[in-house]
């Protein structure tokens, strides 16, 4: 074979295997493992985008980021995917990556040293805001094991509508739980269920977690597919801004007195996190002051990552680049927002990332429109479908 006939191996994070599985991901499979194995056309589109990003990643650093992308630890997988997306975004917008993981005087290394088209340089550090410590992560794993046990039940005639409350403090006896649910399902009468609103309900409590299952007759009997047809999350008060604030403070204080602007990219993973939570996390939570004889007045409490009781804090952070629940699958539905720190030691200025910008002008937080990730990466509408 001549040299002209020799072709380099394709750059990919994924295995060259036959893919026939079309079902949604189970509760226990890792995000990369599912993406790697899925035969869904949408999965093929996602794999293609990830590999496209990898092609432009420096060859000397590529093996390490592929190793992390392939991790069965979803946190490691999502953090590496976030970094890869940011790298691709910067190149797409005409920025130059001067160095990956430049070592600073204190020995720490942010993810990227970046040069903007106008020559301005800054550091970019990516982080996840999950709001989940090791204890919570353990409880989440135990809950997912229980959910998978229920989902493994053979239920050809009924969807199982699941409501959970609490988190198991110890491992659930999943084999026993699965057998109990299977006996319950096997005892249901389909004909009676479709003519009678009073269908039996299954309940199980174990180690602080309660599972309630309401069976719903399928339109077509003996239909294949997963048992759990829907899940109702427990009620409660959530505070996504707390995890975002913690993530920003952790990175803003990590690198010492940096000589360039520091941009912290935050991927907020909590289910209901949104841009308003990021604003609360940085500038302070919202309240309303009510005084007798006066109109209610909105204020911001001095409890933000950038503004504390004594004034500006963590001024090493020049800006936050925020996105919520970014995954390989959701790139087409997400937008980044650059939130500028008005008290930064090293102001970031106007960097042409092409994304929405939130900036304090004349003492008011103003919004400048930008493009979505789908538009920036030139993905078709509805991608990856």
């Amino acid at each position: 074979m001549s040299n002209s006939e020799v072709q380099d191996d394709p750059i990919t994070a994924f295995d060259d295997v036959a893919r026939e599985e079309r079902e949604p991901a189970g509760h226990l499979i890792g995000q990369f493992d599912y993406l790697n194995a899925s035969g869904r056309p949408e999965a093929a589109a996602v794999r293609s985008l990830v590999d496209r990003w990898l092609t432009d990643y420096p060859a000397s650093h590529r093996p390490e980021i592929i190793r992390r992308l392939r991790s069965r630890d979803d946190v490691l997988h999502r953090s590496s995917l976030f970094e890869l997306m940011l790298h691709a975004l910067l190149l797409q917008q005409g920025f130059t990556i001067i160095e990956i993981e430049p070592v600073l005087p204190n020995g720490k290394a942010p993810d990227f040293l970046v040069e903007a088209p106008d020559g301005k340089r800054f550091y970019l550090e990516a982080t996840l805001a999950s709001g989940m410590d090791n204890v919570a992560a353990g409880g989440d794993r135990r809950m997912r094991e229980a959910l998978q046990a229920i989902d493994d039940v053979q239920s050809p005639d009924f969807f199982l509508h699941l409501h959970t409350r609490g988190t198991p403090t110890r491992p659930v006896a999943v084999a026993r739980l699965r057998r109990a649910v299977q006996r319950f399902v096997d005892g249901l009468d389909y004909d009676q269920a479709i003519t009678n609103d009073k269908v039996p309900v299954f309940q199980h409590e174990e180690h602080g977690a309660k599972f309630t299952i309401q069976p719903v007759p399928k339109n077509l009997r003996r239909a294949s597919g997963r048992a759990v047809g829907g899940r109702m999350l427990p009620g409660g008060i959530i505070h996504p801004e707390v995890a975002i604030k913690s993530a920003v403070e952790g990175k803003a204080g990590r690198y010492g007195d940096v000589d360039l602007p520091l941009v912290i990219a935050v991927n907020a993973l909590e289910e209901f996190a949104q841009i308003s939570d990021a604003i609360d996390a940085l500038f302070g939570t919202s309240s309303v002051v009510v005084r007798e004889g006066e109109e209610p007045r909105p204020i911001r409490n001095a409890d933000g990552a950038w503004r504390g009781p004594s004034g500006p804090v963590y001024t090493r952070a020049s800006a936050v680049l925020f996105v919520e629940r970014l995954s390989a699958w959701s790139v087409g539905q997400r937008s980044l927002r650059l939130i500028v720190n008005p008290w930064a030691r090293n102001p970031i200025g106007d960097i042409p990332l092409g994304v929405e910008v939130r900036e304090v002008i004349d003492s008011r937080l103003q919004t400048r429109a930008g493009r979505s990730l789908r538009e920036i990466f030139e993905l078709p509408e509805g991608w990856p479908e």
Side-chain angles (χ1 to χ4, degrees), residues 39-264:
R40 294 167 57 193
E42 299 95 326
V46 174
R47 289 192 295 267
S48 177
L49 179 63
V50 172
D51 284 346
R52 189 176 102 193
W53 291 346
L54 280 173
T55 300
D56 294 325
Y57 208 78
S60 59
H61 292 272
R62 200 180 293 137
E64 173 61 16
I65 200 164
I66 288 177
R67 181 192 68 80
R68 293 168 56 214
L69 279 169
R70 291 177 59 88
S71 175
R72 290 184 172 178
D73 180 343
D74 282 350
V75 172
L76 190 58
H77 167 75
R78 294 191 81 154
S79 64
S80 58
L81 179 87
F82 191 31
E83 293 169 26
L84 181 63
M85 185 280 295
L86 291 168
H87 182 274
L89 170 77
L90 292 165
L91 295 185
Q92 185 79 8
Q93 298 300 85
F95 290 71
T96 302
I97 310 298
I98 302 299
E99 188 175 355
I100 293 178
E101 296 185 349
V103 179
L104 301 184
N106 71 349
K108 305 295 184 181
D111 292 315
F112 304 111
L113 171 59
V114 185
E115 185 173 277
D118 65 358
K120 184 180 184 66
R121 292 189 175 189
F122 61 92
Y123 298 112
L124 178 63
E125 171 68 2
T127 187
L128 304 181
S130 67
M132 189 177 293
D133 56 19
N134 291 335
V135 174
D140 177 71
R141 173 73 184 187
R142 292 187 291 270
M143 176 60 80
R144 286 188 288 114
E145 290 172 348
L147 295 177
Q148 188 62 57
I150 297 171
D151 221 359
D152 287 342
V153 165
Q154 299 300 309
S155 182
D157 296 339
F158 294 87
F159 288 118
L160 305 182
H161 187 79
L162 176 64
H163 180 222
T164 61
R165 185 178 298 278
T167 302
T169 57
R170 291 192 294 166
V172 173
V174 292
R176 185 173 63 190
L177 174 61
R178 183 170 54 250
R179 288 194 300 268
V181 177
Q182 188 68 68
R183 287 194 300 269
F184 168 75
V185 171
D186 291 345
L188 295 172
D189 186 310
Y190 180 85
D191 293 327
Q192 184 181 17
I194 61 176
T195 59
N196 188 347
D197 292 337
K198 295 182 179 179
V199 181
V201 173
F202 174 90
Q203 291 187 329
H204 178 83
E205 291 189 51
E206 189 170 351
H207 304 316
K210 181 176 181 179
F211 305 88
T212 302
I213 296 174
Q214 181 176 2
V216 178
K218 295 181 179 179
N219 291 332
L220 296 175
R221 298 190 67 177
R222 306 299 174 186
S224 61
R226 295 166 59 170
V228 176
R231 181 186 174 197
M232 182 181 295
L233 297 174
I237 299 174
I238 59 172
H239 294 282
E241 76 280 358
V242 174
I244 299 169
K245 177 186 176 185
S246 177
V248 171
E249 291 176 341
K251 294 300 184 180
R254 178 176 174 80
Y255 300 108
D257 292 324
V258 293
D259 57 342
L260 294 172
L262 171 65
V263 177
I264 302 171

